[in-house]
Amino acid sequence: MKRTLHRLFAVVVTGFACILPASHSHADTIYVACAFEGTIRQFATNGAGSIFARASLAGPQGVAFDKAGNLYVANNALNTIEKFTINGVPSVFAADPGDNSILSGPEGLAFDKAGDLYVANENNNTIAKFTTNGVASLFATDPGDNSVLNGPEGLAFDTASNLYVANDGSFITKFSPNGTPSNFADGTFLNGPLGLAFDHAGNLYAANDIQSGSGAAIIKFDTLGNGSVFATNGLDFPGFIAFDTASNLYVSNGGISNNIERFDRNGVGSVFVSSSSSGLQNPSGLAFDSAGNLSVAS
């Protein structure tokens, strides 16, 4: 199981998790799920916080909204997918039977246009697919040589319903809607990529989940897979990423800074939510709902 030291500490020692969905308007109110406290915290744009819901989370990673506005959370330490209604009511959407056949270290989450949920299983190099009723199937698996999937983490769909997977083995795999894999990017620019997100122009962004000063960066790929460095400043173990409706990119910093960084279209960054003001610890998954609200798991 791939796990950088800072993230292993967060899961095993603190169990802290924070999920940030912004409010149900374009005001971008933030919700943070904190597993150590068993809560989801809500943050207004001025940083004022309140408890959104209480739930039992363990090592939450990727988060995603369905079309109805329900929030889904990958419970990495429990091999479950948790579901929260818009009112914060929790339920278990999916759980592994205990043999890692369905969920095994779930990381990234993404919904396709039909409303089916895809889950990156980091521990067994598979991508699981769940229908809206929670029926599981295997969408993709590695042949056994780590050539297709190697520590899969972040997921993202393009407008043509192709699924992109960030692999800790420093490459990005592209799957057609029928599950046929191809290599989208590798080599020079990637170093332990985790989060993936598309901008409105169809460019793919990837977060290199490594320490500040050692190559932490956000990489931008055009539709042909040509890469360039989008941002490096203010990044320390950058994890999951997400765009708001104004094309600002939000990045969860899981390192010592424990904050959420925001970058404009030109790659100029600023601190959006700090650890000192919010109590964030090792933030991870990010997701915006259809109204422009942001969710962050930490």
Side-chain angles (χ1 to χ4, degrees):
M1 175 180 179
K2 173 266 183 184
R3 193 60 73 190
T4 51
L5 287 178
H6 73 287
R7 295 177 64 205
L8 178 59
F9 181 85
V11 172
V12 175
V13 179
T14 68
F16 197 93
C18 294
I19 298 179
L20 305 169
S23 80
H24 301 290
S25 69
H26 290 282
D28 287 340
T29 302
I30 306 298
Y31 296 76
V32 181
C34 302
F36 182 71
E37 298 177 335
T39 64
I40 297 177
R41 290 185 176 270
Q42 178 186 36
F43 288 89
T45 52
N46 63 2
S50 61
I51 293 177
F52 171 67
R54 295 186 182 275
S56 177
L57 298 174
Q61 294 298 316
V63 298
F65 283 98
D66 66 13
K67 295 178 180 179
N70 300 301
L71 179 65
Y72 293 71
V73 183
N75 246 353
N76 184 279
L78 296 180
N79 286 339
T80 64
I81 306 298
E82 300 291 321
K83 175 182 177 181
F84 294 88
T85 68
I86 58 175
N87 297 318
V89 178
S91 61
V92 177
F93 174 73
D96 187 77
D99 58 2
N100 294 318
S101 60
I102 297 177
L103 294 170
S104 182
E107 286 277 338
L109 303 179
F111 282 97
D112 66 13
K113 293 179 179 179
D116 296 322
L117 178 65
Y118 293 69
V119 181
N121 282 316
E122 181 187 30
N123 292 353
N124 65 2
N125 290 337
T126 65
I127 305 298
K129 176 181 177 180
F130 294 89
T131 66
T132 55
N133 296 323
V135 178
S137 61
L138 189 63
F139 175 73
T141 186
D142 185 76
D145 58 2
N146 296 325
S147 62
V148 175
L149 294 171
N150 184 2
E153 298 191 303
L155 302 178
F157 279 100
D158 65 15
T159 56
S161 297
N162 299 300
L163 178 65
Y164 294 72
V165 182
N167 291 281
D168 185 52
S170 296
F171 61 96
I172 297 174
T173 306
K174 175 182 176 181
F175 290 92
S176 67
N178 65 6
T180 302
S182 61
N183 185 61
F184 176 73
D186 58 19
T188 304
F189 293 100
L190 294 175
N191 190 344
L194 201 167
L196 297 179
F198 280 97
D199 66 13
H200 295 304
N203 300 302
L204 180 64
Y205 293 69
N208 282 335
D209 182 35
I210 52 179
Q211 187 175 12
S212 175
S214 298
I218 304 299
I219 306 301
K220 176 182 177 180
F221 295 94
D222 63 20
T223 55
L224 298 178
N226 298 310
S228 61
V229 176
F230 174 72
T232 58
N233 293 333
L235 298 174
D236 186 26
F237 287 109
F240 290 92
I241 59 179
F243 280 98
D244 66 12
T245 54
S247 296
N248 298 301
L249 181 65
Y250 293 70
V251 182
S252 60
N253 273 320
I256 295 175
S257 57
N258 283 326
N259 65 11
I260 304 298
E261 196 80 8
R262 178 172 61 190
F263 294 91
D264 65 17
R265 299 183 185 188
N266 298 315
V268 177
S270 61
V271 176
F272 178 65
V273 176
S274 69
S275 175
S276 59
S277 66
S278 66
L280 281 174
Q281 293 292 326
N282 296 99
S284 54
L286 303 176
F288 282 94
D289 66 15
S290 59
N293 304 307
L294 175 65
S295 297
V296 179
S298 69

